[in-house]
Amino acid sequence: MSGIYRKRGHPRLVIDLFKLKNNINKVQNRCRDCGVEIAGVIKGCTGLIPCVEQFAKAGCRWIASSRLEQLARVRNSGIQTDLMMIRVPGLSEAEDVVRICDYSLNSELVVLEELNRQAREQDKLHKVILMADIGDLREGFWDKEEMLRVAMMVEKDMKNLELAGVGTNVGCYGSVVATSEKLQELVDIAEDIENHIGRELEIISGGATTSLMRVWDGDLPERINMLRVGEGILLARDLKEYFGYDMDELFSDVFTLRAEVIEVKDKPSHPVGEIGIDAFGHQMEYEDRGIRRRALLALGKVDFGGSIDELLPRMDGIEILGASSDHTILDIQDLVDRGGDLKVGDVVEFDLNYATMVYLTNSDNIEKAYI
């Protein structure tokens, strides 16, 4: 029948659920040895349900995301794990946050008041974690006296909210390192709040993947009992590549991108003609290396985002030269010089960085295959 298209399978993102489950278990075991529970952050894989199921099966106490639509999909799937909204919610989201989530991270009194109102209308008790900004300058209370006042208001006046704890974020904006001393600041804030409310907080959430450094080094402040971990499980690359940690017990190839070769030709390495701007408005520089063997892939920036540096070819001798919306251009001359080659119809495999994983898992153009 004309007009029917059945996708033949490439580009394809292959997701190894066994390796993902291994990573979840290994990180959880290391954390539990330090008295820490994990909130499994699913935003990096766009909340794909087969991936989320691995977090649930591994016994993560919370499933967490910054995107309500992902958490709603998890809720509708029947997964019973507590759900946590980890981007501080907007006023317009309060009704849905209460309806969908068990926990949320917060830093504004007016939003907390609206969450309390919505929880009352929905006849629910919603748990909140107040975020402290300890230097990374993203979300959180900078004025700790203000944070204490808000904590007291939640505890005493907001009957449909439960002050579950406090948390912080480091490294995501301001590049502040999650040192033991820096995270102790959060513990001090928590204990000051505890002294005023007269009870111990359920949660002291000491950050995200970068805080795993303190777990690996064994110097996480004792009272921190929860981390929100995504990349450190899904890819397990950042701590090794940026901080030099031995992460060999974890798989860094949970996700494999496969793209089909659609053209192979010898061409000049420098464009021929007057140079202007590319399809995205950038003025590029090109190195003239003479005639080189090139391969063209049926994959472009609309699939994996903007940066070719975050696609990592697994085959030696391949260099990514650039990409347009729908094509990625490879220099394979080094591969040819070593006696190899690519031909039309071959499939090239790539490892991913965080940004490309987010784009690819979120793209309807990319087939998802689970093994």
Side-chain angles (χ1 to χ4, degrees):
M1 183 183 297
S2 63
I4 292 179
Y5 168 66
R6 294 182 177 87
K7 193 169 183 62
R8 299 301 181 185
H10 293 103
R12 174 185 293 179
L13 186 65
V14 180
I15 304 169
D16 191 320
L17 298 178
F18 171 82
K19 291 180 178 179
L20 175 57
K21 181 76 172 296
N22 171 84
N23 286 5
I24 299 168
N25 287 333
K26 290 292 178 62
V27 171
Q28 281 206 126
N29 289 341
R30 293 287 291 263
C31 288
R32 284 170 177 163
D33 288 344
C34 298
V36 172
E37 293 186 277
I38 289 295
V41 179
I42 61 169
K43 64 177 182 176
C45 62
T46 316
L48 294 172
I49 294 302
C51 296
V52 178
E53 288 172 343
Q54 303 312 306
F55 285 94
K57 290 175 181 177
C60 283
R61 182 174 168 188
W62 304 273
I63 298 295
S65 180
S66 58
R67 305 290 173 169
L68 274 173
E69 61 270 22
Q70 295 176 12
L71 294 170
R73 192 160 59 242
V74 175
R75 180 68 77 200
N76 292 335
S77 75
I79 293 172
Q80 297 301 309
T81 309
D82 280 350
L83 303 184
M84 179 179 292
M85 174 68 163
I86 59 170
R87 188 200 66 210
V88 293
L91 272 173
S92 63
E93 297 174 309
E95 179 182 356
D96 289 333
V97 168
V98 171
R99 178 174 55 84
I100 296 167
C101 304
D102 304 285
Y103 292 75
S104 63
L105 312 186
N106 287 272
S107 61
E108 285 288 352
L109 175 59
V110 64
V111 177
L112 288 160
E113 290 172 336
E114 182 63 12
L115 289 170
N116 185 56
R117 187 180 75 82
Q118 291 292 341
R120 183 172 62 250
E121 290 190 359
Q122 297 180 38
D123 193 25
K124 288 186 174 182
L125 181 66
H126 182 72
K127 298 184 179 184
V128 297
I129 296 171
L130 300 186
M131 295 297 283
D133 189 337
I134 58 174
D136 204 62
L137 304 183
R138 200 178 71 177
E139 80 276 37
F141 291 91
W142 182 252
D143 183 336
K144 303 313 180 290
E145 290 299 320
E146 177 194 7
M147 184 175 178
L148 176 59
R149 289 195 301 274
V150 171
M152 294 292 292
M153 293 175 69
V154 173
E155 180 75 5
K156 304 298 182 183
D157 302 328
M158 300 186 191
K159 303 305 181 184
N160 288 83
L161 298 185
E162 178 181 322
L163 180 59
V166 299
T168 196
N169 177 78
V170 288
C172 285
Y173 168 72
S175 308
V176 171
V177 178
T179 63
S180 181
E181 294 75 16
K182 178 58 65 174
L183 296 183
Q184 183 61 43
E185 294 179 25
L186 178 66
V187 174
D188 294 342
I189 291 168
E191 291 181 343
D192 185 40
I193 290 173
E194 289 173 336
N195 288 336
H196 282 82
I197 65 176
R199 66 174 179 85
E200 189 172 289
L201 294 169
E202 173 193 357
I203 294 169
I204 303 179
S205 181
T209 289
T210 55
S211 295
L212 286 177
M213 293 188 290
R214 305 282 61 84
V215 173
W216 257 243
D217 287 348
D219 61 356
L220 185 74
E222 183 176 346
R223 289 218 51 206
I224 289 178
N225 60 6
M226 189 258 265
L227 296 178
R228 312 177 304 276
V229 183
E231 191 282 335
I233 287 170
L234 295 169
L235 290 180
R237 287 185 174 276
D238 285 3
L239 293 187
K240 181 177 181 178
E241 293 187 5
Y242 301 135
F243 299 98
Y245 279 79
D246 181 1
M247 307 298 287
D248 287 346
E249 65 183 296
L250 304 180
F251 291 105
S252 61
D253 60 349
V254 172
F255 296 83
T256 300
L257 172 62
R258 293 177 176 169
E260 184 177 347
V261 176
I262 57 174
E263 177 186 292
V264 179
K265 296 188 184 298
D266 294 334
K267 293 188 180 183
S269 52
H270 194 283
V272 179
E274 182 178 347
I275 304 298
I277 59 173
D278 69 9
F280 292 88
H282 301 140
Q283 190 167 19
M284 307 296 292
E285 294 184 1
Y286 306 91
E287 180 183 358
D288 191 346
R289 300 161 67 188
I291 301 295
R292 306 276 293 184
R293 191 75 161 167
R294 288 178 171 229
L296 200 62
L297 300 180
L299 176 79
K301 289 185 177 181
V302 295
D303 301 308
F304 63 80
S307 177
I308 60 172
D309 296 332
E310 296 183 10
L311 282 180
L312 310 171
R314 288 183 179 170
M315 183 182 292
D316 291 336
I318 291 178
E319 176 187 356
I320 304 176
L321 294 176
S324 61
S325 297
D326 310 299
H327 303 81
T328 298
I329 305 163
L330 308 180
D331 183 311
I332 60 169
Q333 188 62 53
D334 289 347
L335 176 64
V336 171
D337 291 344
R338 298 175 186 181
D341 204 352
L342 290 176
K343 63 182 184 298
V344 171
D346 283 347
V347 173
V348 180
E349 292 189 341
F350 298 88
D351 287 314
L352 307 179
N353 280 347
Y354 191 81
T356 45
M357 176 180 62
V358 171
Y359 273 101
L360 290 162
T361 54
N362 198 43
S363 174
D364 291 335
N365 301 320
I366 304 296
E367 180 181 345
K368 317 303 188 298
Y370 301 93
I371 60 173

